[in-house]
Amino acid sequence: APLAPIELAAGVVARLRRRFGLAAGGGLLDRLALLNDRLGAAATPRTAVHGDLWYGNLLVAGGAISGVVDWEAGDERGEPLRDLVRFALAYALYLDRHTRPGRPVAGHPRLRAGDFGAGIAYALDGSGWFPELFRAFLVDGLGRLGVPAHLWRDVALAGVAEVAAGADHDGFALAHLELLRRLLAPVEVRR
């Protein structure tokens, strides 16, 4: 379908308010609304979208992807950034899954296992080969869709918000909401 303003975070503020009883004013919802405004200034073509694209929904045969399952969140003319960011976030989320809390994650010397979403926070704000790869994956995908590269972090944050608003499991959704709150927290300037 033709180009349309990015809608990755569209409706997420209202859905989070309904789901978690969040109040507006100066906090998380206001920061999400500003993020949505920044994203809405750019446009993407509407395409077929899976809506929950992560490795667990891919069928693999002979070392190649042979199919994709679980299309209940699919859309014939959806926001293509949903699949791009969901795939990257899902991979980052599980970087530390085989490491005891507080321990360094093998292959990622700057990442320690512990808090939910440590791999996502590391991908967004850390340094090293994985954060660079994560960002390059998003920037390359944005470029293919004609979206300015500087929006990569906003796209990732909107993806976290979308999971918080729409995940089936309440605990998983709440964990994403708390992660989003940490990632969007205003940075205090020290003097």
Side-chain angles (χ1 to χ4, degrees), residues 14-107:
R15 289 168 38 211
L16 288 172
R17 184 177 290 124
R18 280 192 308 272
R19 183 170 196 172
F20 297 107
L22 297 176
L28 175 68
L29 297 181
D30 289 339
R31 289 191 298 276
L32 273 177
L34 290 173
L35 183 146
N36 188 51
D37 291 345
R38 286 192 304 270
L39 289 175
T44 57
R46 293 301 173 250
T47 64
V49 172
H50 183 273
D52 189 19
L53 191 62
W54 66 288
Y55 195 73
N57 284 336
L58 301 179
L59 301 176
V60 179
I65 296 173
S66 61
V68 181
V69 298
D70 189 13
W71 285 86
E72 66 188 38
D75 190 343
E76 292 176 351
R77 290 184 194 92
E79 173 58 67
L81 294 176
R82 289 178 65 204
D83 285 346
L84 176 76
V85 73
R86 180 68 60 98
F87 194 82
L89 290 172
Y91 191 90
L93 182 62
Y94 294 104
L95 279 180
D96 64 347
R97 72 180 178 271
H98 296 297
T99 306
R100 288 193 323 226
R103 308 277 302 216
V105 176

Coordinates of all heavy atoms in Angstrom, one line a residue, residues 14-107:
A14 N -3.0 4.8 24.6 CA -4.3 4.5 25.0 C -4.4 3.1 25.5 O -5.1 2.8 26.6 CB -5.3 4.8 23.9
R15 N -3.8 2.2 24.8 CA -3.8 0.7 25.2 C -3.1 0.5 26.5 O -3.6 -0.2 27.4 CB -3.2 -0.1 24.1 CG -4.2 -0.2 22.9 CD -3.6 -0.8 21.7 NE -2.7 -2.0 21.8 CZ -1.7 -2.2 21.0 NH1 -1.4 -1.4 20.0 NH2 -0.9 -3.3 21.2
L16 N -2.0 1.2 26.8 CA -1.3 1.1 28.0 C -2.1 1.7 29.2 O -2.1 1.1 30.3 CB 0.1 1.8 28.0 CG 1.2 1.1 27.1 CD1 2.4 1.9 27.0 CD2 1.5 -0.3 27.8
R17 N -2.7 2.8 28.9 CA -3.6 3.4 29.9 C -4.7 2.5 30.3 O -5.0 2.3 31.5 CB -4.2 4.8 29.4 CG -5.0 5.5 30.4 CD -5.5 6.9 29.9 NE -4.3 7.8 29.8 CZ -4.0 8.4 28.6 NH1 -4.8 8.2 27.5 NH2 -3.0 9.2 28.5
R18 N -5.4 1.9 29.3 CA -6.4 0.9 29.7 C -5.9 -0.3 30.4 O -6.5 -0.7 31.4 CB -7.2 0.5 28.4 CG -8.2 1.5 27.9 CD -9.0 0.9 26.8 NE -8.3 0.3 25.7 CZ -7.9 0.9 24.6 NH1 -8.0 2.2 24.5 NH2 -7.2 0.2 23.7
R19 N -4.9 -0.9 29.9 CA -4.4 -2.1 30.4 C -3.8 -2.0 31.8 O -4.0 -2.9 32.7 CB -3.3 -2.7 29.5 CG -2.8 -4.1 30.0 CD -1.9 -4.8 29.0 NE -1.8 -6.2 29.3 CZ -1.3 -7.1 28.6 NH1 -0.8 -6.7 27.4 NH2 -1.2 -8.3 28.9
F20 N -3.1 -0.9 32.1 CA -2.4 -0.8 33.4 C -2.9 0.3 34.2 O -2.4 0.6 35.3 CB -0.9 -0.6 33.1 CG -0.2 -1.8 32.5 CD1 0.2 -1.7 31.1 CD2 0.0 -3.0 33.2 CE1 0.8 -2.8 30.5 CE2 0.6 -4.1 32.6 CZ 1.0 -4.0 31.2
G21 N -3.9 1.0 33.8 CA -4.5 2.1 34.6 C -3.5 3.3 34.8 O -3.5 3.9 35.8
L22 N -2.7 3.5 33.8 CA -1.7 4.5 33.9 C -2.3 5.9 33.7 O -3.2 6.1 32.9 CB -0.6 4.4 32.8 CG 0.2 3.1 32.8 CD1 1.1 3.1 31.6 CD2 1.0 3.0 34.1
A23 N -1.8 6.8 34.5 CA -2.3 8.2 34.4 C -1.4 9.0 33.5 O -0.2 8.8 33.4 CB -2.3 8.8 35.8
A24 N -2.0 10.0 32.9 CA -1.2 10.9 32.0 C -0.6 12.0 32.9 O -1.0 12.2 34.0 CB -2.1 11.5 30.9
G25 N 0.4 12.6 32.3 CA 0.9 13.8 33.0 C 2.4 13.6 33.4 O 2.7 13.0 34.4
G26 N 3.3 14.2 32.6 CA 4.6 14.3 33.0 C 5.5 13.1 33.0 O 6.7 13.1 33.2
G27 N 4.9 12.0 32.8 CA 5.6 10.7 32.9 C 5.8 9.9 31.7 O 5.9 10.4 30.6
L28 N 5.7 8.6 31.8 CA 5.9 7.7 30.8 C 5.0 7.9 29.6 O 5.5 7.9 28.4 CB 5.6 6.3 31.3 CG 5.7 5.1 30.3 CD1 7.1 5.0 29.8 CD2 5.2 3.8 30.9
L29 N 3.7 8.1 29.8 CA 2.8 8.3 28.7 C 3.1 9.6 27.9 O 3.0 9.6 26.6 CB 1.3 8.3 29.1 CG 0.9 7.0 29.8 CD1 -0.6 7.1 30.2 CD2 1.1 5.8 28.8
D30 N 3.5 10.6 28.5 CA 3.9 11.9 27.8 C 5.1 11.6 27.0 O 5.2 12.1 25.8 CB 4.1 13.0 28.8 CG 2.9 13.5 29.5 OD1 1.8 13.3 28.9 OD2 3.0 14.1 30.6
R31 N 6.1 10.9 27.5 CA 7.3 10.6 26.8 C 7.0 9.7 25.6 O 7.6 9.9 24.5 CB 8.4 10.0 27.7 CG 8.9 11.1 28.6 CD 10.2 10.6 29.4 NE 10.0 9.5 30.2 CZ 9.5 9.5 31.5 NH1 9.2 10.7 32.0 NH2 9.4 8.4 32.2
L32 N 6.1 8.8 25.7 CA 5.6 8.0 24.6 C 4.9 8.8 23.5 O 5.1 8.5 22.4 CB 4.7 6.8 25.1 CG 5.4 5.6 25.6 CD1 4.4 4.6 26.1 CD2 6.2 4.9 24.4
A33 N 4.1 9.7 24.0 CA 3.4 10.6 23.0 C 4.4 11.4 22.2 O 4.2 11.5 21.0 CB 2.4 11.5 23.7
L34 N 5.4 11.9 22.8 CA 6.4 12.6 22.1 C 7.2 11.7 21.1 O 7.5 12.1 20.0 CB 7.4 13.3 23.0 CG 6.9 14.4 23.9 CD1 7.9 14.8 24.9 CD2 6.5 15.6 23.0
L35 N 7.5 10.5 21.5 CA 8.1 9.5 20.7 C 7.2 9.2 19.4 O 7.7 9.2 18.3 CB 8.4 8.3 21.5 CG 9.1 7.1 20.8 CD1 10.0 6.4 21.8 CD2 8.2 6.2 20.2
N36 N 6.0 9.1 19.7 CA 5.0 8.8 18.6 C 5.0 10.0 17.6 O 4.9 9.8 16.4 CB 3.6 8.6 19.2 CG 2.6 8.1 18.1 OD1 2.9 7.2 17.4 ND2 1.5 8.7 18.0
D37 N 5.0 11.2 18.1 CA 5.1 12.4 17.3 C 6.3 12.4 16.4 O 6.2 12.7 15.2 CB 5.0 13.7 18.1 CG 3.6 13.9 18.7 OD1 2.7 13.2 18.4 OD2 3.6 14.7 19.7
R38 N 7.5 12.1 17.0 CA 8.7 12.0 16.2 C 8.6 11.0 15.1 O 9.0 11.2 13.9 CB 9.9 11.7 17.1 CG 10.3 12.9 17.9 CD 11.7 12.7 18.6 NE 11.8 11.5 19.4 CZ 11.5 11.4 20.7 NH1 11.1 12.5 21.3 NH2 11.7 10.3 21.3
L39 N 8.1 9.8 15.4 CA 8.0 8.7 14.4 C 7.0 9.1 13.3 O 7.2 8.8 12.2 CB 7.6 7.4 15.1 CG 8.7 6.8 16.0 CD1 8.1 5.5 16.7 CD2 9.9 6.4 15.1
G40 N 5.9 9.7 13.7 CA 4.8 10.0 12.8 C 5.2 11.1 11.7 O 4.5 11.2 10.7
A41 N 6.3 11.7 12.0 CA 6.8 12.7 11.0 C 7.5 12.0 9.8 O 7.7 12.6 8.7 CB 7.8 13.7 11.6
A42 N 7.8 10.7 9.9 CA 8.3 9.9 8.8 C 7.2 9.0 8.3 O 6.2 8.8 9.0 CB 9.6 9.1 9.3
A43 N 7.5 8.4 7.2 CA 6.5 7.5 6.6 C 7.1 6.2 6.1 O 8.3 6.1 5.7 CB 5.8 8.2 5.4
T44 N 6.3 5.1 6.0 CA 6.7 3.8 5.5 C 5.6 3.4 4.5 O 4.4 3.7 4.7 CB 6.9 2.8 6.6 OG1 5.7 2.6 7.3 CG2 8.1 3.1 7.5
P45 N 5.9 2.5 3.6 CA 4.9 1.9 2.8 C 4.2 0.9 3.7 O 4.8 0.3 4.6 CB 5.7 1.2 1.7 CG 7.0 1.0 2.2 CD 7.3 2.1 3.2
R46 N 2.9 0.6 3.5 CA 2.2 -0.4 4.2 C 2.5 -1.7 3.4 O 2.4 -1.8 2.2 CB 0.7 -0.1 4.3 CG 0.5 1.1 5.2 CD 1.0 0.8 6.6 NE 0.9 2.0 7.4 CZ 2.0 2.7 7.8 NH1 3.2 2.4 7.4 NH2 1.9 3.7 8.6
T47 N 2.8 -2.8 4.2 CA 3.1 -4.1 3.6 C 2.5 -5.2 4.4 O 1.9 -4.9 5.5 CB 4.7 -4.3 3.7 OG1 5.1 -4.4 5.0 CG2 5.4 -3.2 3.0
A48 N 2.6 -6.4 4.0 CA 2.2 -7.5 4.8 C 3.1 -7.6 6.0 O 4.3 -7.5 5.9 CB 2.3 -8.8 4.0
V49 N 2.5 -7.8 7.2 CA 3.2 -7.8 8.4 C 2.8 -9.0 9.3 O 1.6 -9.2 9.4 CB 2.9 -6.5 9.2 CG1 3.5 -6.5 10.6 CG2 3.5 -5.3 8.4
H50 N 3.7 -9.7 9.8 CA 3.4 -10.8 10.7 C 2.9 -10.4 12.0 O 1.9 -10.9 12.5 CB 4.7 -11.7 10.9 CG 4.5 -12.9 11.7 ND1 4.5 -12.9 13.1 CD2 4.1 -14.2 11.3 CE1 4.3 -14.1 13.5 NE2 4.0 -14.9 12.5
G51 N 3.6 -9.4 12.7 CA 3.1 -8.8 13.9 C 3.7 -9.4 15.2 O 3.6 -8.8 16.2
D52 N 4.3 -10.6 15.1 CA 4.9 -11.3 16.2 C 6.1 -12.1 15.7 O 6.3 -13.3 16.0 CB 4.0 -12.2 17.0 CG 4.5 -12.7 18.3 OD1 5.5 -12.1 18.8 OD2 4.0 -13.7 18.8
L53 N 7.0 -11.4 14.9 CA 8.1 -12.1 14.3 C 9.2 -12.3 15.2 O 9.9 -11.3 15.6 CB 8.5 -11.3 13.0 CG 9.4 -12.0 12.1 CD1 8.8 -13.3 11.5 CD2 9.9 -11.1 10.9
W54 N 9.5 -13.5 15.6 CA 10.7 -13.8 16.4 C 11.0 -15.3 16.0 O 10.3 -16.0 15.3 CB 10.4 -13.7 17.9 CG 9.4 -14.6 18.5 CD1 8.0 -14.5 18.3 CD2 9.6 -15.7 19.4 NE1 7.4 -15.5 19.0 CE2 8.4 -16.2 19.7 CE3 10.8 -16.2 19.9 CZ2 8.2 -17.3 20.5 CZ3 10.6 -17.3 20.8 CH2 9.4 -17.8 21.1
Y55 N 12.2 -15.7 16.5 CA 12.7 -17.0 16.0 C 11.8 -18.2 16.3 O 11.7 -19.1 15.5 CB 14.1 -17.3 16.6 CG 14.8 -18.4 15.9 CD1 15.4 -18.2 14.7 CD2 14.9 -19.6 16.5 CE1 16.0 -19.2 14.0 CE2 15.6 -20.7 15.9 CZ 16.1 -20.4 14.6 OH 16.7 -21.5 14.0
G56 N 11.0 -18.1 17.4 CA 10.1 -19.2 17.8 C 8.9 -19.3 16.8 O 8.3 -20.4 16.8
N57 N 8.7 -18.4 15.9 CA 7.6 -18.5 14.9 C 8.2 -18.8 13.5 O 7.4 -18.7 12.6 CB 6.8 -17.2 14.9 CG 5.9 -17.1 16.1 OD1 5.5 -18.1 16.6 ND2 5.5 -15.9 16.4
L58 N 9.5 -19.1 13.4 CA 10.0 -19.4 12.1 C 10.2 -20.9 12.0 O 10.6 -21.6 13.0 CB 11.4 -18.8 12.0 CG 11.4 -17.3 12.0 CD1 12.9 -16.8 11.9 CD2 10.5 -16.6 11.0
L59 N 9.9 -21.5 10.9 CA 10.2 -22.9 10.6 C 11.5 -23.0 9.8 O 11.6 -22.2 8.9 CB 9.0 -23.5 9.8 CG 7.6 -23.5 10.5 CD1 6.6 -24.0 9.5 CD2 7.6 -24.2 11.8
V60 N 12.3 -23.9 10.2 CA 13.6 -24.0 9.6 C 13.8 -25.4 9.1 O 13.6 -26.3 9.8 CB 14.8 -23.6 10.6 CG1 16.1 -23.7 9.9 CG2 14.6 -22.2 11.1
A61 N 14.3 -25.5 7.9 CA 14.6 -26.8 7.3 C 15.8 -26.7 6.4 O 15.9 -25.8 5.6 CB 13.4 -27.4 6.4
G62 N 16.8 -27.6 6.7 CA 18.0 -27.5 5.9 C 18.8 -26.3 6.0 O 19.4 -25.8 5.1
G63 N 18.7 -25.6 7.2 CA 19.5 -24.4 7.4 C 18.8 -23.1 6.8 O 19.4 -22.1 6.8
A64 N 17.6 -23.3 6.3 CA 17.0 -22.1 5.7 C 15.5 -22.0 6.3 O 14.9 -23.0 6.7 CB 16.9 -22.3 4.2
I65 N 15.0 -20.8 6.3 CA 13.7 -20.6 6.8 C 12.7 -21.1 5.7 O 12.8 -20.8 4.5 CB 13.4 -19.1 7.0 CG1 14.3 -18.5 8.1 CG2 11.9 -18.8 7.3 CD1 14.2 -17.1 8.3
S66 N 11.9 -22.0 6.2 CA 10.9 -22.7 5.3 C 9.5 -22.3 5.5 O 8.6 -22.6 4.7 CB 11.0 -24.2 5.4 OG 10.7 -24.6 6.8
G67 N 9.3 -21.5 6.5 CA 7.9 -21.0 6.8 C 7.8 -20.2 8.0 O 8.8 -20.1 8.8
V68 N 6.7 -19.5 8.2 CA 6.4 -18.7 9.3 C 5.1 -19.1 9.9 O 4.1 -19.1 9.1 CB 6.5 -17.2 9.0 CG1 6.3 -16.3 10.2 CG2 7.8 -16.8 8.3
V69 N 4.9 -19.3 11.2 CA 3.7 -19.7 11.8 C 3.2 -18.6 12.7 O 3.9 -17.6 13.0 CB 3.8 -21.0 12.6 CG1 4.2 -22.1 11.6 CG2 4.8 -20.9 13.7
D70 N 2.0 -18.7 13.2 CA 1.3 -17.9 14.2 C 1.1 -16.5 13.7 O 1.6 -15.5 14.1 CB 2.2 -17.8 15.5 CG 1.5 -17.1 16.6 OD1 0.3 -16.8 16.6 OD2 2.2 -16.7 17.6
W71 N 0.1 -16.4 12.7 CA -0.2 -15.2 12.0 C -1.4 -14.4 12.7 O -1.9 -13.5 12.0 CB -0.5 -15.5 10.6 CG 0.7 -15.8 9.8 CD1 1.4 -17.0 9.6 CD2 1.5 -14.8 9.0 NE1 2.5 -16.8 8.8 CE2 2.6 -15.5 8.4 CE3 1.4 -13.5 8.8 CZ2 3.5 -14.9 7.6 CZ3 2.3 -12.8 8.0 CH2 3.4 -13.6 7.4
E72 N -1.7 -14.7 13.9 CA -2.9 -14.1 14.5 C -2.8 -12.6 14.6 O -3.8 -11.9 14.7 CB -3.3 -14.7 15.8 CG -2.2 -14.5 16.9 CD -2.5 -15.3 18.2 OE1 -3.0 -16.4 18.1 OE2 -2.3 -14.7 19.3
A73 N -1.5 -12.0 14.7 CA -1.3 -10.6 14.8 C -1.0 -10.0 13.4 O -0.6 -8.8 13.3 CB -0.2 -10.3 15.8
G74 N -1.2 -10.8 12.4 CA -0.8 -10.3 11.0 C -1.7 -9.3 10.5 O -2.9 -9.1 11.0
D75 N -1.2 -8.6 9.5 CA -2.0 -7.5 8.8 C -1.6 -7.5 7.3 O -0.4 -7.5 7.0 CB -1.7 -6.2 9.5 CG -2.6 -5.1 9.1 OD1 -3.2 -5.2 8.0 OD2 -2.6 -4.0 9.8
E76 N -2.5 -7.4 6.4 CA -2.2 -7.3 5.0 C -1.5 -6.0 4.6 O -0.8 -6.0 3.7 CB -3.5 -7.5 4.2 CG -4.0 -8.9 4.3 CD -5.4 -9.0 3.5 OE1 -5.9 -8.0 3.1 OE2 -5.8 -10.2 3.4
R77 N -1.9 -4.9 5.3 CA -1.3 -3.6 5.0 C -0.9 -3.0 6.3 O -1.4 -1.9 6.7 CB -2.4 -2.8 4.3 CG -2.7 -3.2 2.9 CD -3.6 -2.3 2.2 NE -4.1 -2.9 1.0 CZ -5.2 -3.6 0.9 NH1 -6.0 -3.7 2.0 NH2 -5.6 -4.1 -0.2
G78 N 0.1 -3.6 6.9 CA 0.5 -3.1 8.2 C 1.8 -2.3 8.2 O 2.3 -2.0 7.2
E79 N 2.2 -1.9 9.4 CA 3.4 -1.1 9.6 C 4.6 -2.0 9.6 O 4.7 -2.9 10.5 CB 3.3 -0.4 11.0 CG 4.6 0.3 11.4 CD 5.0 1.4 10.4 OE1 4.3 2.4 10.2 OE2 6.1 1.1 9.7
P80 N 5.4 -2.0 8.6 CA 6.5 -3.0 8.4 C 7.6 -2.9 9.5 O 8.3 -3.9 9.8 CB 7.1 -2.7 7.1 CG 6.8 -1.3 6.8 CD 5.4 -1.0 7.4
L81 N 7.6 -1.7 10.2 CA 8.6 -1.6 11.3 C 8.3 -2.6 12.5 O 9.2 -2.9 13.2 CB 8.7 -0.2 11.8 CG 9.2 0.8 10.8 CD1 9.2 2.2 11.3 CD2 10.6 0.5 10.4
R82 N 7.1 -3.0 12.6 CA 6.7 -3.9 13.6 C 7.5 -5.2 13.6 O 8.0 -5.7 14.6 CB 5.2 -4.3 13.6 CG 4.3 -3.1 13.9 CD 2.8 -3.5 13.8 NE 2.5 -4.5 14.7 CZ 1.5 -5.4 14.6 NH1 0.7 -5.3 13.5 NH2 1.2 -6.3 15.5
D83 N 7.6 -5.8 12.4 CA 8.4 -7.0 12.3 C 9.9 -6.8 12.4 O 10.6 -7.6 13.1 CB 8.1 -7.7 10.9 CG 6.7 -8.4 10.9 OD1 6.1 -8.6 11.9 OD2 6.3 -8.7 9.8
L84 N 10.4 -5.7 11.9 CA 11.8 -5.4 12.0 C 12.2 -5.3 13.4 O 13.1 -5.9 13.9 CB 12.1 -4.1 11.2 CG 13.5 -3.6 11.3 CD1 14.4 -4.4 10.4 CD2 13.6 -2.1 11.0
V85 N 11.5 -4.5 14.2 CA 11.9 -4.2 15.6 C 11.6 -5.4 16.5 O 12.3 -5.7 17.4 CB 11.3 -2.9 16.1 CG1 9.8 -3.0 16.4 CG2 12.0 -2.4 17.3
R86 N 10.5 -6.1 16.2 CA 10.1 -7.3 17.1 C 11.2 -8.3 17.0 O 11.6 -8.9 18.0 CB 8.8 -7.8 16.7 CG 8.3 -9.0 17.5 CD 7.9 -8.7 18.9 NE 6.9 -7.7 19.0 CZ 5.6 -7.9 19.2 NH1 5.2 -9.1 19.4 NH2 4.7 -6.9 19.3
F87 N 11.7 -8.6 15.8 CA 12.7 -9.6 15.6 C 14.0 -9.2 16.4 O 14.6 -10.1 17.1 CB 13.0 -9.8 14.1 CG 13.8 -11.1 13.9 CD1 13.2 -12.3 13.8 CD2 15.2 -11.0 13.8 CE1 13.9 -13.5 13.6 CE2 15.9 -12.2 13.5 CZ 15.3 -13.4 13.5
A88 N 14.4 -8.0 16.3 CA 15.6 -7.5 16.9 C 15.4 -7.6 18.5 O 16.3 -8.0 19.2 CB 16.0 -6.1 16.5
L89 N 14.3 -7.1 19.0 CA 14.1 -7.0 20.4 C 14.0 -8.4 21.0 O 14.5 -8.7 22.1 CB 12.8 -6.3 20.7 CG 12.8 -4.8 20.5 CD1 11.4 -4.2 20.7 CD2 13.8 -4.1 21.4
A90 N 13.3 -9.3 20.3 CA 13.2 -10.7 20.8 C 14.5 -11.4 21.0 O 14.8 -12.1 22.0 CB 12.2 -11.5 19.9
Y91 N 15.4 -11.2 20.0 CA 16.7 -11.8 20.1 C 17.5 -11.2 21.3 O 18.1 -11.9 22.1 CB 17.5 -11.6 18.8 CG 18.8 -12.4 18.8 CD1 18.7 -13.7 18.3 CD2 20.0 -11.9 19.3 CE1 19.9 -14.5 18.3 CE2 21.1 -12.7 19.3 CZ 21.1 -14.0 18.8 OH 22.2 -14.7 18.8
A92 N 17.5 -9.8 21.4 CA 18.2 -9.2 22.5 C 17.6 -9.6 23.9 O 18.4 -9.7 24.8 CB 18.1 -7.6 22.3
L93 N 16.4 -9.8 23.9 CA 15.7 -10.1 25.2 C 16.3 -11.4 25.8 O 16.4 -11.5 27.1 CB 14.2 -10.2 25.0 CG 13.4 -10.6 26.3 CD1 13.6 -9.4 27.3 CD2 12.0 -10.8 25.9
Y94 N 16.7 -12.3 25.0 CA 17.1 -13.6 25.5 C 18.6 -13.8 25.5 O 19.1 -14.9 25.7 CB 16.4 -14.7 24.7 CG 14.9 -14.7 24.9 CD1 14.0 -14.2 24.0 CD2 14.4 -15.2 26.1 CE1 12.7 -14.1 24.2 CE2 13.1 -15.1 26.4 CZ 12.2 -14.6 25.4 OH 10.9 -14.5 25.7
L95 N 19.4 -12.7 25.3 CA 20.9 -12.9 25.4 C 21.4 -13.5 26.7 O 22.3 -14.2 26.7 CB 21.5 -11.5 25.2 CG 21.7 -11.0 23.8 CD1 22.3 -9.6 23.8 CD2 22.4 -11.9 22.9
D96 N 20.7 -13.1 27.8 CA 21.2 -13.6 29.1 C 20.5 -14.7 29.7 O 20.6 -15.1 30.8 CB 21.3 -12.4 30.0 CG 19.9 -11.9 30.4 OD1 18.9 -12.2 29.7 OD2 19.8 -11.1 31.3
R97 N 19.7 -15.4 28.9 CA 18.8 -16.4 29.5 C 19.5 -17.7 30.1 O 18.9 -18.4 30.9 CB 17.7 -16.9 28.4 CG 18.3 -17.7 27.3 CD 17.2 -18.1 26.3 NE 17.7 -18.9 25.2 CZ 18.1 -18.4 24.1 NH1 18.2 -17.1 23.9 NH2 18.6 -19.1 23.1
H98 N 20.7 -17.9 29.7 CA 21.4 -19.1 30.2 C 22.5 -18.7 31.2 O 23.4 -19.5 31.5 CB 22.0 -19.9 29.1 CG 21.0 -20.5 28.1 ND1 20.1 -21.4 28.6 CD2 20.7 -20.3 26.8 CE1 19.3 -21.8 27.6 NE2 19.7 -21.1 26.5
T99 N 22.4 -17.5 31.7 CA 23.4 -17.0 32.7 C 22.8 -16.7 34.0 O 21.7 -16.1 34.0 CB 24.1 -15.7 32.1 OG1 24.6 -16.0 30.8 CG2 25.2 -15.2 32.9
R100 N 23.4 -17.1 35.1 CA 22.9 -16.8 36.4 C 22.9 -15.2 36.6 O 23.8 -14.6 36.2 CB 23.7 -17.5 37.5 CG 23.5 -18.9 37.5 CD 24.1 -19.6 38.7 NE 25.3 -19.0 39.2 CZ 26.4 -19.6 39.5 NH1 26.4 -20.9 39.5 NH2 27.5 -19.0 39.9
P101 N 21.9 -14.7 37.3 CA 21.9 -13.3 37.6 C 23.1 -12.8 38.3 O 23.7 -13.4 39.1 CB 20.7 -13.2 38.6 CG 19.8 -14.3 38.3 CD 20.8 -15.4 37.9
G102 N 23.6 -11.6 37.8 CA 24.8 -11.0 38.3 C 26.0 -11.4 37.6 O 27.1 -10.8 37.8
R103 N 26.0 -12.4 36.8 CA 27.2 -12.9 36.2 C 27.3 -12.3 34.8 O 26.3 -12.0 34.1 CB 27.1 -14.5 36.0 CG 26.8 -15.3 37.3 CD 28.0 -15.5 38.1 NE 29.0 -16.2 37.3 CZ 29.8 -17.1 37.7 NH1 29.7 -17.4 39.0 NH2 30.7 -17.7 37.0
P104 N 28.6 -12.2 34.3 CA 28.7 -11.7 32.9 C 28.2 -12.7 31.9 O 28.3 -13.9 32.1 CB 30.3 -11.5 32.8 CG 30.9 -12.1 33.9 CD 29.8 -12.4 35.0
V105 N 27.7 -12.2 30.8 CA 27.1 -13.1 29.8 C 28.2 -13.5 28.8 O 28.9 -12.6 28.3 CB 25.9 -12.4 29.1 CG1 25.4 -13.3 27.9 CG2 24.8 -12.1 30.1
A106 N 28.4 -14.7 28.5 CA 29.5 -15.2 27.6 C 29.4 -14.5 26.3 O 28.3 -14.5 25.7 CB 29.4 -16.7 27.5
G107 N 30.5 -14.0 25.8 CA 30.5 -13.4 24.5 C 30.1 -11.9 24.5 O 30.2 -11.2 23.5

